Amino acid sequence: MLHNLNHIGIAVQSLEASIPFYRDALTLPLAGIEEVPDQQVRVAMLQVGESKIELLEPSSPDSPIARFLEKNGPGIHHIAYEVSDIAAAIAHLKGQGVRMIDDTPRNGAHGARIAFLHPKSSGGVLTELCQPGH
Ligand code: ZN
């Protein structure tokens, strides 16, 4: 059901201030920057092998990422597993008694379909399913 670790989401105050560490010090190629209105974030994707680092900057004070930063400061926000059939993966998890934040997939960065599990069902680790768009 899960293919690999698609990305790790990291909450940052500012993409501009955070990108140089990942791009220049860690030498990860910057795949692109994109606004995701659904989640009120600006997202920078950096490639590391088959996986990515997803830097998340709030684009509004009401963004879930803004609330996360207020509470926890910058740091790891979620991990995302790659799936080829997100609807089937959600159905499987619900069949296992897992609570979902998203019962139906929504739009993520780069045309992906995504859904979050409820952290109460995943040991406090915010977990995302991600079906790549291409
Ligand atoms: Zn993500």
Side-chain angles (χ1 to χ4, degrees):
M1 185 171 84
L2 307 176
H3 299 302
N4 61 28
L5 199 58
N6 183 275
H7 64 265
I8 295 176
I10 297 176
V12 302
Q13 303 281 6
S14 154
L15 291 183
E16 281 62 37
S18 307
I19 284 170
F21 169 72
Y22 291 93
R23 184 193 55 202
D24 304 333
L26 295 183
T27 70
L28 305 181
L30 178 62
I33 297 178
E34 173 178 355
E35 183 118 17
V36 183
D38 261 25
Q39 292 162 84
Q40 299 173 290
V41 287
R42 286 177 70 226
V43 177
M45 285 288 196
L46 297 114
Q47 197 74 33
V48 51
E50 303 225 331
S51 301
K52 291 177 267 305
I53 296 294
E54 177 184 73
L55 302 179
L56 301 155
E57 174 198 82
S59 58
S60 113
D62 303 326
S63 163
I65 295 298
R67 292 199 297 273
F68 177 90
L69 286 167
E70 246 168 59
K71 207 170 145 198
N72 307 291
I76 293 181
H77 179 258
H78 66 271
I79 63 170
Y81 296 103
E82 189 168 319
V83 296
S84 51
D85 183 344
I86 195 165
I90 292 170
H92 167 81
L93 287 165
K94 290 175 80 171
Q96 293 290 311
V98 172
R99 264 174 76 193
M100 300 295 298
I101 292 175
D102 301 305
D103 285 322
T104 53
R106 54 186 161 124
N107 295 321
H110 302 286
R113 304 289 289 157
I114 66 168
F116 281 96
L117 282 61
H118 197 287
K120 285 222 162 75
S121 281
S122 52
V125 179
L126 185 58
T127 301
E128 173 189 339
L129 304 175
C130 175
Q131 181 181 332
H134 40 78

